[in-house]
C-alpha cells in the first residue's frame, strides 16, 4: 500500500468515525421517540437501541391524543409552541436578514473606515443575562412579553450581527465592476441593488438565512425570559415535559425533538444548491 493510498484510507476512516459520533445522539433520540414508557424508563442493561415494541404514543401524547394512565394529562399540547417557534423564528430571520443585508451592502460599498461593523459585534460581547434584564423591563412596559412578535423582534436584533457579518463578507467578495457597468449604462443605485446585486447573491442569502433561522429556532434563554405561557417556544415547552408519576418524559421530549429537527433539515435540503454555492462564495477569488 502506497503512502498516498494509506493517507486516503486514514482520512476516510476519520471522516466516517466523526460522522458516526455526530449521529449517535440523533439516532438515540429517534429510537427513544418510538419507545413505550417501560423501555425509556429502563436503566443499565435493559436499555436497547432498537425499540422492542415501537409505538407512536409519545407523538400522540404531546399532541393531546393519547390517554395513557401512566402519565398525567398535559395541560397544553405542542401545537401552539410549534406555531410560536415558526412565527418568532421566521419573522426574526426576516428582520435580521433585511436589516443585516441592507447594512452590509451599504458598508461594503460606501463605508470604508467605518467603525460600525465592530460596534455591531459588541452586541454579542455582553453576557446574555446582562442584556436581557433591561430588555425584559422594556418589553414588560410595552406589553410585548409573552407575544410572538415581541420575541421575534428580539430575535431579529440578537441575530443581526451574524446576518450583517455574513452578508458583508459576501458583498466584499462580489466584483464591483458588474455594478459599475450598470451604473455607467444609466441604472440608479437602488435599481442596481434590486435587479443585479440581490439576484447574484441568492446563494449567500440562502445560506445566511438558514444559519440565522437555526439560531432563532433553537433559542432557549430568550424565549424562557420573554414568554410565560401563551407563546412559549419548542425548547421552553420541551423543558416543561415532566410528570409527578414518571419524572422526566424522555420519550415525549425525544418525539418533540425529532419534530423540531425537521424544519431546519427540510430547509437545508430545499436550498441545498444555493447553500453549497453560498458557503463557497468567493473561495476562488484571487
Amino acid at each position: 500500500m502506497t503512502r498516498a493510498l494509506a493517507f486516503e484510507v486514514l482520512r476516510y476512516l476519520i471522516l466516517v468515525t466523526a460522522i458516526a459520533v455526530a449521529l449517535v445522539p440523533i439516532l438515540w433520540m429517534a429510537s427513544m421517540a418510538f419507545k413505550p414508557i417501560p423501555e425509556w424508563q429502563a436503566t443499565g442493561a435493559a436499555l436497547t437501541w432498537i425499540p422492542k415494541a415501537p409505538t407512536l404514543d409519545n407523538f400522540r401524547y404531546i399532541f393531546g391524543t393519547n390517554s395513557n394512565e401512566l402519565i398525567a394529562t398535559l395541560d397544553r399540547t405542542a401545537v401552539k409552541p410549534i406555531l410560536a417557534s415558526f412565527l418568532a423564528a421566521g419573522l426574526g430571520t426576516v428582520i435580521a436578514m433585511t436589516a443585516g443585508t441592507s447594512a452590509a451592502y451599504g458598508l461594503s460599498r460606501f463605508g470604508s473606515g467605518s467603525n460600525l461593523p465592530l460596534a455591531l459585534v459588541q452586541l454579542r460581547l455582553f453576557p446574555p443575562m446582562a442584556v436581557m434584564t433591561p430588555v425584559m423591563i422594556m418589553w414588560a412596559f410595552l406589553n410585548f412579553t409573552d407575544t410572538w412578535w415581541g420575541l421575534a423582534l428580539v430575535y431579529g436584533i440578537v441575530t443581526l450581527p451574524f446576518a450583517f457579518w455574513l452578508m458583508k463578507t459576501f458583498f466584499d467578495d462580489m466584483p464591483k465592476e458588474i455594478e459599475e457597468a450598470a451604473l455607467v449604462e444609466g441604472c440608479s443605485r437602488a435599481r442596481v441593488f434590486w435587479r443585479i446585486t440581490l439576484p447574484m447573491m441568492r446563494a449567500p442569502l440562502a445560506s445566511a438565512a438558514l444559519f440565522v433561522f437555526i439560531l432563532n429556532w433553537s433559542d432557549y434563554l430568550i424565549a424562557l425570559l420573554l414568554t410565560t405561557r401563551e407563546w412559549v417556544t419548542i425548547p421552553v415547552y420541551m423543558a416543561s415535559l415532566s410528570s409527578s408519576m414518571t419524572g422526566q418524559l424522555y420519550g415525549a421530549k425525544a418525539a418533540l425533538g425529532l419534530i423540531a429537527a425537521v424544519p431546519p433539515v427540510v430547509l437545508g435540503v430545499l436550498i441545498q444548491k444555493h447553500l453549497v454555492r453560498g458557503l463557497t462564495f468567493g473561495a476562488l477569488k484571487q
Side-chain angles (χ1 to χ4, degrees):
M1 180 181 295
T2 63
R3 179 177 296 181
L5 180 59
F7 179 77
E8 284 295 313
V9 172
L10 179 62
R11 186 162 68 93
Y12 280 108
L13 284 175
I14 294 174
L15 181 61
V16 170
T17 303
I19 294 175
V21 171
L23 287 177
V24 165
I26 299 175
L27 295 176
W28 183 254
M29 178 180 67
S31 172
M32 188 73 71
F34 295 97
K35 288 181 178 179
I37 296 175
E39 290 190 37
W40 52 257
Q41 279 190 319
T43 58
L47 290 173
T48 57
W49 273 95
I50 301 176
K52 298 177 182 178
T55 179
L56 294 176
D57 283 350
N58 294 316
F59 295 92
R60 296 191 186 101
Y61 177 72
I62 61 176
F63 288 110
T65 59
N66 180 39
S67 57
N68 196 316
E69 296 180 356
L70 296 178
I71 307 178
T73 304
L74 284 172
D75 61 345
R76 53 182 171 173
T77 66
V79 175
K80 198 165 184 179
I82 293 174
L83 176 62
S85 289
F86 269 113
L87 292 174
L91 181 58
T93 301
V94 171
I95 293 173
M97 290 303 302
T98 302
T101 301
S102 302
Y105 180 75
L107 286 174
S108 176
R109 294 296 184 263
F110 315 109
S112 58
S114 173
N115 293 323
L116 184 57
L118 294 178
L120 285 174
V121 172
Q122 292 177 1
L123 291 174
R124 303 295 303 180
L125 296 181
F126 294 99
M129 285 302 298
V131 176
M132 288 309 301
T133 300
V135 171
M136 290 173 60
I137 297 173
M138 287 189 294
W139 257 229
F141 177 77
L142 296 171
N143 292 324
F144 283 0
T145 55
D146 206 19
T147 61
W148 65 266
W149 59 86
L151 188 59
L153 182 58
V154 176
Y155 281 165
I157 296 171
V158 169
T159 54
L160 174 60
F162 293 105
F164 168 78
W165 275 101
L166 285 171
M167 293 309 301
K168 185 176 184 303
T169 302
F170 294 138
F171 282 128
D172 289 342
D173 289 338
M174 179 181 174
K176 298 180 181 180
E177 291 77 12
I178 300 176
E179 296 176 346
E180 292 171 353
L183 291 172
V184 170
E185 293 296 326
C187 285
S188 64
R189 175 62 69 174
R191 189 177 180 86
V192 168
F193 177 72
W194 286 105
R195 292 298 185 89
I196 297 176
T197 306
L198 279 186
M200 292 182 63
M201 300 296 289
R202 281 188 302 233
L205 277 169
S207 58
L210 179 61
F211 177 71
V212 171
F213 177 81
I214 292 174
L215 289 177
N216 293 332
W217 180 260
S218 59
D219 167 72
Y220 174 75
L221 177 61
I222 297 175
L224 178 66
L225 296 175
L226 295 183
T227 58
T228 54
R229 177 175 176 81
E230 291 299 322
W231 290 101
V232 297
T233 57
I234 291 176
V236 178
Y237 177 78
M238 188 183 298
S240 68
L241 289 175
S242 61
S243 170
S244 58
M245 291 179 284
T246 59
Q248 295 294 323
L249 303 179
Y250 295 113
K253 290 185 177 184
L256 185 56
L258 205 60
I259 294 173
V262 171
V265 172
V266 171
L267 288 176
V269 172
L270 291 177
I271 65 172
Q272 182 178 8
K273 178 178 68 174
H274 297 300
L275 187 62
V276 174
R277 290 182 57 197
L279 293 176
T280 58
F281 191 84
L284 300 179
K285 184 178 178 181
Q286 299 295 328

